Each structure stands twice: as structure tokens, then as C-alpha cells.
Amino acid sequence: MNFTKEKVTINNPADITVILGYFVIVIGVGIWSMFRTNRGTVGGYFLAGRTMVWWPVGASLFASNIGSGHFVGLAGTGAASGIAVGGFEWNALFIVLLLGWLFVPVYLTAGVITMPQYLKKRFGGTRISLYLSVISLFLYIFTKISVDMFSGAVFIQQALGWNIYIAVIALLTITALYTVTGGLAALMYTDTVQTFIIIAGAFVLMGFSFREVGGYSTLLEKYSSALPSPSLRLSPSPHLYNISSACYTPRQDAFNLLRDPVTGDLPWPGVVFGIAIVGGWYWCTDQVIVQRCLAARSLTHVKAGCIMCGYLKLLPMFLMVFPGMISRVLYPDEVGCVVPSVCKEVCGTEVGCSNIAYPKLVVSVMPNGLRGLMLAVMLAALMSSLASIFNSSSTLFTMDIWTRIRPQARDRELMIVGRVWVLCIVAISICWIPVVQAAQSGQLFDYIQSVTSYLAPPIAAVFFLAIFVKRVNEPGAFWGLMGGLLMGLCRMGPEFYFGSGSCLFPSNCPKLICGVHYLYFAVLLFFCTGILVLLVSYWTPPINDRHLHRLVFSLRHSKEDRVDLDWEEVERGRKARREVEEKNKATRNEENETNKDKSAILRLIGWFCGLSGSQAPEPTEEEVAEASKQLPDISEEPVWKHFVNANALVMMAVAVYFWGFYA
Amino acid sequence: MFIIRFPDPERSSEHLHRYCLTERRAFTVFSSFIAVVKRSEMGKSVVVLLWLLVILETASAQAEKAERGLPNWLTGIIAVAVFLFLVFIAFLVNKAWCETRSDSQEVKTEVTSNEYSMSNGTNLDSVRSSEHHEAYENVIIHKTEEKVTVM
């Protein structure tokens, strides 16, 4: 048992040049896009002025979805149990079409910026939107950010041997810098660059690893015999525990996407329906993704972007899952380790070392220079998804929570609050590192998966019904969400208490609670919430049609006037802002002569963040009435409409082919 | 009869053994259940049904094995064919659905257009392009580069 611990510090000139080149490109694109859009308004900063064309939309959808968590998690799970984990990616192909064709048209005609805002318009009241914004922020911090940082840390530790704190703080600082200064436009253009880098780098690694293992057919042959050497299979203390062969032999169905519904690790009904529901939450109702679509120029561009993202989502199976399996074939003793003490020596965790599959490949297979490229890839994945989460969470916070605390807040204040919140999130993420490090028992991934599949389905169900069923009303949606949350917590609590266990030491969670696969549970939760929502809705009075024009799918083309359910609150905010403006004008007239020049530094910061000194005056009653007559436009040119429809069909056919191929 | 490929001869026996074990267990469960049913005077038909279920179960399990023999690309092609067929059916249904709807819409528009057309014998609709719905109407196009969201 002698593992040569390669501490590869990147210190050769080729690697450093590549990394420097990467940073120059990203910062260059960030600065270039800063000048392209007006960042001083809410629409400009949070929605990129609604001027994006299809390719930044598609690339940005992809880049904000693919994080470093995918590289570590997909490759790791692929190494441990085969290609079924790719179902998570390939399911998204269909869900992303659902987003472009069914959900975004409604969001566009509703004229909203955030998802809680949509629910507020659709149902009225404030409790639903408050619940949604709080739970979204919770999920961002405890699942998305931590999973990305955890896997980034794994990579940096394994491949580079850098200090995690310094590395992560530096990364977060750069990310925060261009999120704060540029707004969504800068983000989406840099995301496009990041997508190129991610795909190019991952392709190079895939090529090298397939050459190393000897081609695809050799992988098929060798994977099932990728066992750790016999001396590493025996328990060092047989009186305490035995190692059954099931714990270290690769699964028989490793090359099947659809597995046995009862005994499989990812049963096929769960893979088909459960992932679709969790994916429905992620792709169709979550701020991070929807915000990118709302920034598009027109609905056709949204759809084209979704198709592009769909095609790109075909790749992770080949770029991440297969290399992970190759890694197990090449390094069965390390990646496929089974004895806890050995695992501890290899990667620092006792449960298993499948998470190091991808970093191990990078370190061992790639030559100088290209290793730097792979680091750039990981940085790109990490930074793009973190930056998206930063931007979206700041949008949520500003638009939904801050406007509630201070209804008189005007554009300029909102801009500043949004940027300050990004800094807060960065601080929280940095404080989160020790927790992430402590939780490096290899189980973090399980927890995160369970957190998502126990909390997300009720949200997906409520959005789905809100958009497609006119009859659903406020009490129905609220009690549905609460009931769903309760059910989810009933499952989550015991799982956290008992732990999810490992192959050697299964958890002693009672079968009744933890026996149901988490994907099955997601389906169950989705339908229970849906039924609850419908039941309560039919018990209580319906919402009149005049409040729902252009807020539900069946009325999306309606041209009637809508009486917003939240108009009182909006009106109150507008009145408060107008009063503040009046007051400001009065004081400014007095101070005008005395205090004309601000300090140079303040002005520089203001310019850097795109905050112009003057802001548009608050619209008067007449202007508001005029603006409300201008309906949002979701009409499409027939030619291009048919073109994107046909493309979507082709993409679905391709996806179905791949599903069939690996079924 | 059905060829089952095992990559490793050493482990194939182990796998077979495990498979047989689970099969036998399932069978004993079923037979005890059948015995219970017999005792509880539920009639022969239920027993027959249960036996049928058992047979179906094994048959489907074997069919699954047989399907594994198909090459990957063929399952892919079959899946695509089935998918396209479903899309075709959906398209037909949609077409039939929309046909009836647009008919009723056309009737409606004719009624409204007669309200404002001058009644000097000619009808505006006779010169109206049938393809473009608003071909002779002046459409105001708002084309601003950037839209500012109303707060």
C-alpha cells in the first residue's frame, strides 16, 4: 500500500501562461460587455436591458447550470455506479424545452422580474412570495453554493495542493467583482466565454483519457473488472466488519440508463419522472435560470437559446460520466477503494474516493500546459455558476425582500442594495467553507441531493398548477406549499438524524421512512402537494378572470385589462417613492450651490458600478396608466416560429435516440 | 434459449447463484400467499389469476433478458421511431382540434368587420389579404432598443 501522493503545484511556465490567458480573456469580455448595456436601471442591471440574442442565452443557461459540482459529482457517481447518473443531464433536455415553450411565455406576458413577484401577481397576498424568496435563498446557500465550493475545494486540494481558503477567497473575489460591476449582461457574455472554455477543455481531457484506456470498447470490457487489488479488498479488522463483494465490484447494469424499479440504485421510474420533477423546479421555476430567459430579446430568441442549451446538455455524459468511469478503470485501487483506512489515506475521507475520479485524471493524464487549461475549466465552471447564483439571489433579495422593508426605495437605492447583497453572499459563502470542509465525509452530496428532492417538488407543483390551472387560488397554493414542506421535512429530519449510511455500514434508519427512494419520494411529494392545492382551491372561492389575464397559460394571448391583485401594494410603494422624490428636490434646491462636487473616489466607484448620478423621475399617474396599456409582446414571426419548433423536434428525436441507445 | 452474456466467467456463476436465490425466495413467498388464499376460501379463480401473474412475471423477466440482446443502436432507432410516431399522432390531434377552433374565430371576425365597413356594396374583406390578418391596417411598431421596466 504505497500511494505516491503527487502534489502537483502548477509552476511550469506553460500552465501559468494558460491560466493568465484565461483570466485576461474573462476580464476583457467582462469589461467589454460593461460598456454595451446600461447598467444604471433595474431592467438594465438585472435583465440586461432585455436585449440578449439567442446564443448568449443558451450558453449562459448551460454555464450557470454546469458547475464544478458536475465535474466532481457526475464523474464520481459515474465511477461508482455507471452511466445512470447521466439521466440527470439528459432529462433536462426535455425540461428545458418545457421552459421555453410553456413557462417563459407566461412569465414574459406577466411582466415580472422575479419568480416570487410572479406568484404575488398570480395569487395576491404576500405570504407566498415571502416564503418562496426565503426558501430560494436558503436553497441557494445550502445546496448550490456549497456543492460548487465543496467540489471546487476537492479539485484544488487533489490536483493542485493549494490552500483552500486562499484559493476560494480569490475566486469569490473575482466572481463578485464582475457580478457587482457588470450586472446580468456582463455575466451572460462572460458565461458564453466560460462555456467555450468548459467544453473545449473537457473535450481535450476526454480525448486523452479515452486514448489512455484504449478506446470506448475497451472501456466497456474493462469497467466490470475494475476491482481494487486483492490485498485491498480484505477488512483489516474482520472481527468488526466484513467487506462484501457487492461493495467493491462494479454494478452489472453500469452501462444501463434505466435500471430495475425495485433494486436499482437509480430506479427507472425515478429517473424518468422523479428527475423530471426536480428538474422542473430547477429549470422552469428557479430564478437563476428564468432570469436568463427573461433577458432575451424576444420569445423566439428564448426558444432558440433553450434548444442550444439542450444540445449542449447532451455533452456532460461524454465529457464527465465516461471519463469518471475511465478513471476507475485506470486507478481501481484509488478511485475504487473500499477499505476505510485506505480511502482515508488516498483522499482523506473514509466512505469512498469516487469524488477524486476527475481530478485524478487531470493530474495523471494531462501533460504540462493542458493541466493549466483544466484548471481554467474548473475555474470557469465554478465562477460562472457562482456568479449566476450571486446575481439571482441579489435580484431576489432586492426585488422581493428589500422593497418590502422599504417600499419607498427607488432605482438607485435598489442598485446599491443589490450590490451590497452580493458582497454579503460572498461573505456567507466564505464563512461556509469550514462547514464544507468539516462535512467532507463524502456524504455532502447525498445531503444536497436529498435537500433538493425533499424541498423542491412542492414549489414545482405550485408553479405548475399556477400556470396551467386557472382555478387555483391563494389559500390553495399557500397550504399546498406548507403541506409539502411539512411532508418533506418529515422525511428529511430522520435522514439527517440517522445518516444515509454507506455500503459497509448501512444506516439504521427505519425502512418505512428511508426505504422509499428519494426520487420516488419526489414524485409522491409532487402529486400530494398538487392534490392538496386543488382540494383547498376548490373549497375556497376562485380568483376572477380579470385578475388573471396574461398570468396563466390559457390566457397568455389575452388583451384585456388586468386588475393586478397586488396593485394596492405597488401603488403604496409608488406613492412613497414620489414623496421621497419631492422631499429630495426640496433639499437639493437648498444645497445646490453649496455642495456641488462629490469626492473623486465616490464618483469613480459610481462610474465603475454603472451608477449614474441622476435617475429618472418617478412616473406620474398618467405615465403609469399609459405604460400599463403597452402590453408585453410575445408574438413571433411565423417563419422563425416554425423553424424553432422543427429544431426542438429534431433535438427531442436526438435525445430520444440517446436514451434508447443507453437504455 | 436466451443468451445471457456475462463479462467475467468467474463472477457469472456467483451472479447466477444470486439470481436463483432471489427467484426461489419470490417463489416461496408466492406459494405461501397462494396457500393462504386457498385456505380463505376465495375460490379457484383467484388462484388461477395468481398463477397467471407468476407466469407473466417470469415471462416479462425473460423478455427483458432477450431485449438486452438487441444492439444499442437498434434500441435507439426503435425509440426514435416510437417517439416520432407519437409526435405524428399528437400533430394530427392538434390539427383536428385547431381546425374547428379557427372556423369559429373566422365567423366572429366577419361579424365585427361588417360593423365598420361602408355599406356601398363592396366589402373590405374582398380585398383583404387572406394570409396576413392585418395586412391593410396600419400597425404601430414600437421598436426601442432598450426597455426600462416600470418599477
Side-chain angles (χ1 to χ4, degrees), chain A residues 199-230:
Chain A
I199 293 176
F203 255 111
V204 171
L205 181 96
M206 185 186 73
F208 270 97
S209 50
F210 267 112
R211 200 191 63 180
E212 190 78 13
V213 81
Y216 179 69
S217 48
T218 336
L219 172 66
L220 291 186
E221 269 170 38
K222 282 190 179 166
Y223 180 75
S224 54
S225 54
L227 304 162
S229 51

mmCIF file of all heavy atoms in Angstrom, chain A residues 199-230:
data_model
loop_
_atom_site.group_PDB
_atom_site.id
_atom_site.type_symbol
_atom_site.label_atom_id
_atom_site.label_comp_id
_atom_site.label_asym_id
_atom_site.label_seq_id
_atom_site.Cartn_x
_atom_site.Cartn_y
_atom_site.Cartn_z
ATOM 1 N N ILE A 199 -16.239 23.476 -22.438
ATOM 2 C CA ILE A 199 -16.417 22.392 -23.406
ATOM 3 C C ILE A 199 -15.099 22.007 -24.048
ATOM 4 O O ILE A 199 -14.755 20.822 -24.152
ATOM 5 C CB ILE A 199 -17.463 22.798 -24.460
ATOM 6 C CG1 ILE A 199 -18.831 22.900 -23.780
ATOM 7 C CG2 ILE A 199 -17.519 21.792 -25.592
ATOM 8 C CD1 ILE A 199 -19.914 23.372 -24.669
ATOM 9 N N ALA A 200 -14.309 23.012 -24.448
ATOM 10 C CA ALA A 200 -13.035 22.706 -25.095
ATOM 11 C C ALA A 200 -12.142 21.900 -24.171
ATOM 12 O O ALA A 200 -11.615 20.837 -24.548
ATOM 13 C CB ALA A 200 -12.350 23.998 -25.522
ATOM 14 N N GLY A 201 -11.988 22.382 -22.938
ATOM 15 C CA GLY A 201 -11.099 21.701 -22.002
ATOM 16 C C GLY A 201 -11.571 20.288 -21.706
ATOM 17 O O GLY A 201 -10.781 19.335 -21.699
ATOM 18 N N ALA A 202 -12.888 20.155 -21.489
ATOM 19 C CA ALA A 202 -13.406 18.830 -21.151
ATOM 20 C C ALA A 202 -13.238 17.869 -22.319
ATOM 21 O O ALA A 202 -12.961 16.684 -22.126
ATOM 22 C CB ALA A 202 -14.870 18.935 -20.740
ATOM 23 N N PHE A 203 -13.374 18.399 -23.544
ATOM 24 C CA PHE A 203 -13.164 17.556 -24.719
ATOM 25 C C PHE A 203 -11.728 17.058 -24.773
ATOM 26 O O PHE A 203 -11.475 15.884 -25.064
ATOM 27 C CB PHE A 203 -13.488 18.327 -26.002
ATOM 28 C CG PHE A 203 -14.795 17.927 -26.606
ATOM 29 C CD1 PHE A 203 -15.872 18.787 -26.620
ATOM 30 C CD2 PHE A 203 -14.953 16.663 -27.165
ATOM 31 C CE1 PHE A 203 -17.087 18.421 -27.167
ATOM 32 C CE2 PHE A 203 -16.157 16.279 -27.710
ATOM 33 C CZ PHE A 203 -17.227 17.163 -27.713
ATOM 34 N N VAL A 204 -10.783 17.960 -24.495
ATOM 35 C CA VAL A 204 -9.374 17.564 -24.530
ATOM 36 C C VAL A 204 -9.131 16.451 -23.524
ATOM 37 O O VAL A 204 -8.517 15.423 -23.830
ATOM 38 C CB VAL A 204 -8.472 18.783 -24.235
ATOM 39 C CG1 VAL A 204 -7.034 18.327 -24.058
ATOM 40 C CG2 VAL A 204 -8.583 19.792 -25.351
ATOM 41 N N LEU A 205 -9.680 16.633 -22.315
ATOM 42 C CA LEU A 205 -9.462 15.614 -21.299
ATOM 43 C C LEU A 205 -10.106 14.291 -21.700
ATOM 44 O O LEU A 205 -9.528 13.215 -21.511
ATOM 45 C CB LEU A 205 -10.014 16.052 -19.956
ATOM 46 C CG LEU A 205 -9.735 14.979 -18.914
ATOM 47 C CD1 LEU A 205 -8.483 15.297 -18.140
ATOM 48 C CD2 LEU A 205 -10.882 14.743 -18.001
ATOM 49 N N MET A 206 -11.299 14.392 -22.287
ATOM 50 C CA MET A 206 -11.973 13.164 -22.710
ATOM 51 C C MET A 206 -11.114 12.425 -23.730
ATOM 52 O O MET A 206 -10.931 11.207 -23.644
ATOM 53 C CB MET A 206 -13.334 13.495 -23.306
ATOM 54 C CG MET A 206 -14.161 12.284 -23.666
ATOM 55 S SD MET A 206 -15.666 12.720 -24.522
ATOM 56 C CE MET A 206 -15.028 13.183 -26.114
ATOM 57 N N GLY A 207 -10.554 13.181 -24.692
ATOM 58 C CA GLY A 207 -9.701 12.561 -25.703
ATOM 59 C C GLY A 207 -8.518 11.857 -25.064
ATOM 60 O O GLY A 207 -8.250 10.682 -25.346
ATOM 61 N N PHE A 208 -7.837 12.552 -24.170
ATOM 62 C CA PHE A 208 -6.662 11.973 -23.542
ATOM 63 C C PHE A 208 -7.019 10.725 -22.743
ATOM 64 O O PHE A 208 -6.316 9.716 -22.801
ATOM 65 C CB PHE A 208 -5.995 12.998 -22.613
ATOM 66 C CG PHE A 208 -4.968 13.832 -23.303
ATOM 67 C CD1 PHE A 208 -5.278 15.090 -23.787
ATOM 68 C CD2 PHE A 208 -3.680 13.355 -23.472
ATOM 69 C CE1 PHE A 208 -4.345 15.862 -24.427
ATOM 70 C CE2 PHE A 208 -2.729 14.123 -24.113
ATOM 71 C CZ PHE A 208 -3.061 15.373 -24.600
ATOM 72 N N SER A 209 -8.153 10.792 -22.011
ATOM 73 C CA SER A 209 -8.464 9.653 -21.148
ATOM 74 C C SER A 209 -8.904 8.448 -21.975
ATOM 75 O O SER A 209 -8.552 7.317 -21.648
ATOM 76 C CB SER A 209 -9.526 10.032 -20.116
ATOM 77 O OG SER A 209 -10.606 10.642 -20.735
ATOM 78 N N PHE A 210 -9.634 8.689 -23.078
ATOM 79 C CA PHE A 210 -10.012 7.550 -23.920
ATOM 80 C C PHE A 210 -8.775 6.932 -24.566
ATOM 81 O O PHE A 210 -8.683 5.714 -24.727
ATOM 82 C CB PHE A 210 -11.026 7.969 -24.988
ATOM 83 C CG PHE A 210 -12.456 7.767 -24.555
ATOM 84 C CD1 PHE A 210 -13.290 8.844 -24.318
ATOM 85 C CD2 PHE A 210 -12.958 6.491 -24.375
ATOM 86 C CE1 PHE A 210 -14.598 8.656 -23.896
ATOM 87 C CE2 PHE A 210 -14.269 6.286 -23.968
ATOM 88 C CZ PHE A 210 -15.087 7.374 -23.724
ATOM 89 N N ARG A 211 -7.790 7.784 -24.942
ATOM 90 C CA ARG A 211 -6.573 7.232 -25.529
ATOM 91 C C ARG A 211 -5.842 6.386 -24.493
ATOM 92 O O ARG A 211 -5.312 5.317 -24.786
ATOM 93 C CB ARG A 211 -5.666 8.363 -26.004
ATOM 94 C CG ARG A 211 -4.644 7.910 -27.015
ATOM 95 C CD ARG A 211 -3.615 8.974 -27.265
ATOM 96 N NE ARG A 211 -2.853 9.269 -26.056
ATOM 97 C CZ ARG A 211 -1.895 10.167 -25.995
ATOM 98 N NH1 ARG A 211 -1.592 10.893 -27.056
ATOM 99 N NH2 ARG A 211 -1.237 10.395 -24.879
ATOM 100 N N GLU A 212 -5.854 6.874 -23.256
ATOM 101 C CA GLU A 212 -5.145 6.171 -22.195
ATOM 102 C C GLU A 212 -5.753 4.779 -21.941
ATOM 103 O O GLU A 212 -5.048 3.809 -21.750
ATOM 104 C CB GLU A 212 -5.218 7.016 -20.916
ATOM 105 C CG GLU A 212 -4.327 6.544 -19.797
ATOM 106 C CD GLU A 212 -2.872 6.958 -20.018
ATOM 107 O OE1 GLU A 212 -2.645 7.800 -20.900
ATOM 108 O OE2 GLU A 212 -2.006 6.415 -19.313
ATOM 109 N N VAL A 213 -7.103 4.715 -21.969
ATOM 110 C CA VAL A 213 -7.730 3.444 -21.626
ATOM 111 C C VAL A 213 -7.817 2.525 -22.841
ATOM 112 O O VAL A 213 -7.968 1.310 -22.699
ATOM 113 C CB VAL A 213 -9.125 3.686 -21.012
ATOM 114 C CG1 VAL A 213 -10.163 3.921 -22.081
ATOM 115 C CG2 VAL A 213 -9.541 2.517 -20.130
ATOM 116 N N GLY A 214 -7.721 3.098 -24.033
ATOM 117 C CA GLY A 214 -7.704 2.254 -25.223
ATOM 118 C C GLY A 214 -9.017 2.212 -25.978
ATOM 119 O O GLY A 214 -9.345 1.215 -26.597
ATOM 120 N N GLY A 215 -9.784 3.277 -25.875
ATOM 121 C CA GLY A 215 -10.989 3.354 -26.705
ATOM 122 C C GLY A 215 -12.245 2.960 -25.960
ATOM 123 O O GLY A 215 -12.210 2.418 -24.852
ATOM 124 N N TYR A 216 -13.369 3.245 -26.622
ATOM 125 C CA TYR A 216 -14.671 3.044 -25.992
ATOM 126 C C TYR A 216 -14.951 1.576 -25.701
ATOM 127 O O TYR A 216 -15.416 1.218 -24.620
ATOM 128 C CB TYR A 216 -15.745 3.630 -26.914
ATOM 129 C CG TYR A 216 -17.150 3.494 -26.415
ATOM 130 C CD1 TYR A 216 -17.576 4.220 -25.303
ATOM 131 C CD2 TYR A 216 -18.060 2.655 -27.049
ATOM 132 C CE1 TYR A 216 -18.862 4.099 -24.841
ATOM 133 C CE2 TYR A 216 -19.349 2.523 -26.582
ATOM 134 C CZ TYR A 216 -19.745 3.241 -25.481
ATOM 135 O OH TYR A 216 -21.025 3.123 -25.023
ATOM 136 N N SER A 217 -14.619 0.717 -26.679
ATOM 137 C CA SER A 217 -14.958 -0.697 -26.492
ATOM 138 C C SER A 217 -14.134 -1.305 -25.358
ATOM 139 O O SER A 217 -14.616 -2.176 -24.626
ATOM 140 C CB SER A 217 -14.736 -1.469 -27.786
ATOM 141 O OG SER A 217 -13.470 -1.157 -28.310
ATOM 142 N N THR A 218 -12.901 -0.831 -25.202
ATOM 143 C CA THR A 218 -12.091 -1.336 -24.090
ATOM 144 C C THR A 218 -12.690 -0.919 -22.763
ATOM 145 O O THR A 218 -12.649 -1.674 -21.784
ATOM 146 C CB THR A 218 -10.653 -0.792 -24.173
ATOM 147 O OG1 THR A 218 -10.380 -0.448 -25.514
ATOM 148 C CG2 THR A 218 -9.663 -1.791 -23.664
ATOM 149 N N LEU A 219 -13.252 0.307 -22.746
ATOM 150 C CA LEU A 219 -13.901 0.754 -21.510
ATOM 151 C C LEU A 219 -15.057 -0.177 -21.156
ATOM 152 O O LEU A 219 -15.193 -0.606 -20.011
ATOM 153 C CB LEU A 219 -14.402 2.194 -21.680
ATOM 154 C CG LEU A 219 -15.265 2.732 -20.543
ATOM 155 C CD1 LEU A 219 -14.448 2.864 -19.278
ATOM 156 C CD2 LEU A 219 -15.878 4.060 -20.905
ATOM 157 N N LEU A 220 -15.867 -0.509 -22.173
ATOM 158 C CA LEU A 220 -16.991 -1.406 -21.936
ATOM 159 C C LEU A 220 -16.527 -2.733 -21.348
ATOM 160 O O LEU A 220 -17.133 -3.287 -20.445
ATOM 161 C CB LEU A 220 -17.742 -1.675 -23.251
ATOM 162 C CG LEU A 220 -18.517 -0.534 -23.882
ATOM 163 C CD1 LEU A 220 -19.300 -1.046 -25.077
ATOM 164 C CD2 LEU A 220 -19.459 0.097 -22.885
ATOM 165 N N GLU A 221 -15.413 -3.234 -21.905
ATOM 166 C CA GLU A 221 -14.901 -4.515 -21.431
ATOM 167 C C GLU A 221 -14.339 -4.419 -20.024
ATOM 168 O O GLU A 221 -14.612 -5.240 -19.162
ATOM 169 C CB GLU A 221 -13.776 -4.988 -22.355
ATOM 170 C CG GLU A 221 -14.219 -5.859 -23.496
ATOM 171 C CD GLU A 221 -13.059 -6.036 -24.462
ATOM 172 O OE1 GLU A 221 -11.913 -6.157 -23.994
ATOM 173 O OE2 GLU A 221 -13.314 -6.014 -25.678
ATOM 174 N N LYS A 222 -13.511 -3.385 -19.827
ATOM 175 C CA LYS A 222 -12.699 -3.369 -18.612
ATOM 176 C C LYS A 222 -13.427 -2.847 -17.387
ATOM 177 O O LYS A 222 -13.013 -3.105 -16.262
ATOM 178 C CB LYS A 222 -11.449 -2.492 -18.847
ATOM 179 C CG LYS A 222 -10.374 -3.182 -19.643
ATOM 180 C CD LYS A 222 -9.117 -2.331 -19.606
ATOM 181 C CE LYS A 222 -7.980 -2.965 -20.363
ATOM 182 N NZ LYS A 222 -6.912 -1.964 -20.578
ATOM 183 N N TYR A 223 -14.507 -2.092 -17.611
ATOM 184 C CA TYR A 223 -15.109 -1.441 -16.448
ATOM 185 C C TYR A 223 -15.589 -2.459 -15.422
ATOM 186 O O TYR A 223 -15.396 -2.295 -14.224
ATOM 187 C CB TYR A 223 -16.268 -0.539 -16.867
ATOM 188 C CG TYR A 223 -16.916 0.149 -15.680
ATOM 189 C CD1 TYR A 223 -16.279 1.220 -15.055
ATOM 190 C CD2 TYR A 223 -18.118 -0.298 -15.148
ATOM 191 C CE1 TYR A 223 -16.826 1.830 -13.953
ATOM 192 C CE2 TYR A 223 -18.683 0.309 -14.042
ATOM 193 C CZ TYR A 223 -18.032 1.371 -13.451
ATOM 194 O OH TYR A 223 -18.577 1.975 -12.348
ATOM 195 N N SER A 224 -16.190 -3.549 -15.926
ATOM 196 C CA SER A 224 -16.783 -4.502 -14.979
ATOM 197 C C SER A 224 -15.721 -5.269 -14.200
ATOM 198 O O SER A 224 -16.025 -5.916 -13.204
ATOM 199 C CB SER A 224 -17.687 -5.473 -15.724
ATOM 200 O OG SER A 224 -16.952 -6.070 -16.760
ATOM 201 N N SER A 225 -14.471 -5.190 -14.644
ATOM 202 C CA SER A 225 -13.420 -5.882 -13.892
ATOM 203 C C SER A 225 -12.486 -4.896 -13.201
ATOM 204 O O SER A 225 -11.365 -5.232 -12.871
ATOM 205 C CB SER A 225 -12.629 -6.797 -14.820
ATOM 206 O OG SER A 225 -12.155 -6.054 -15.912
ATOM 207 N N ALA A 226 -12.968 -3.665 -13.003
ATOM 208 C CA ALA A 226 -12.124 -2.663 -12.343
ATOM 209 C C ALA A 226 -12.231 -2.830 -10.834
ATOM 210 O O ALA A 226 -12.948 -2.088 -10.158
ATOM 211 C CB ALA A 226 -12.555 -1.252 -12.758
ATOM 212 N N LEU A 227 -11.533 -3.827 -10.306
ATOM 213 C CA LEU A 227 -11.595 -4.101 -8.871
ATOM 214 C C LEU A 227 -10.296 -3.650 -8.217
ATOM 215 O O LEU A 227 -9.242 -3.692 -8.843
ATOM 216 C CB LEU A 227 -11.761 -5.604 -8.643
ATOM 217 C CG LEU A 227 -12.945 -6.264 -9.321
ATOM 218 C CD1 LEU A 227 -12.733 -7.764 -9.364
ATOM 219 C CD2 LEU A 227 -14.203 -5.916 -8.574
ATOM 220 N N PRO A 228 -10.372 -3.240 -6.962
ATOM 221 C CA PRO A 228 -9.124 -2.953 -6.259
ATOM 222 C C PRO A 228 -8.331 -4.242 -6.078
ATOM 223 O O PRO A 228 -8.914 -5.337 -6.041
ATOM 224 C CB PRO A 228 -9.586 -2.375 -4.923
ATOM 225 C CG PRO A 228 -11.008 -2.763 -4.786
ATOM 226 C CD PRO A 228 -11.545 -2.914 -6.162
ATOM 227 N N SER A 229 -7.015 -4.130 -5.972
ATOM 228 C CA SER A 229 -6.194 -5.334 -5.898
ATOM 229 C C SER A 229 -6.570 -6.144 -4.653
ATOM 230 O O SER A 229 -6.992 -5.583 -3.639
ATOM 231 C CB SER A 229 -4.708 -4.954 -5.856
ATOM 232 O OG SER A 229 -4.505 -4.001 -4.849
ATOM 233 N N PRO A 230 -6.437 -7.492 -4.732
ATOM 234 C CA PRO A 230 -7.000 -8.379 -3.691
ATOM 235 C C PRO A 230 -6.613 -7.999 -2.264
ATOM 236 O O PRO A 230 -7.431 -8.112 -1.363
ATOM 237 C CB PRO A 230 -6.417 -9.743 -4.073
ATOM 238 C CG PRO A 230 -6.183 -9.652 -5.531
ATOM 239 C CD PRO A 230 -5.831 -8.225 -5.825
#
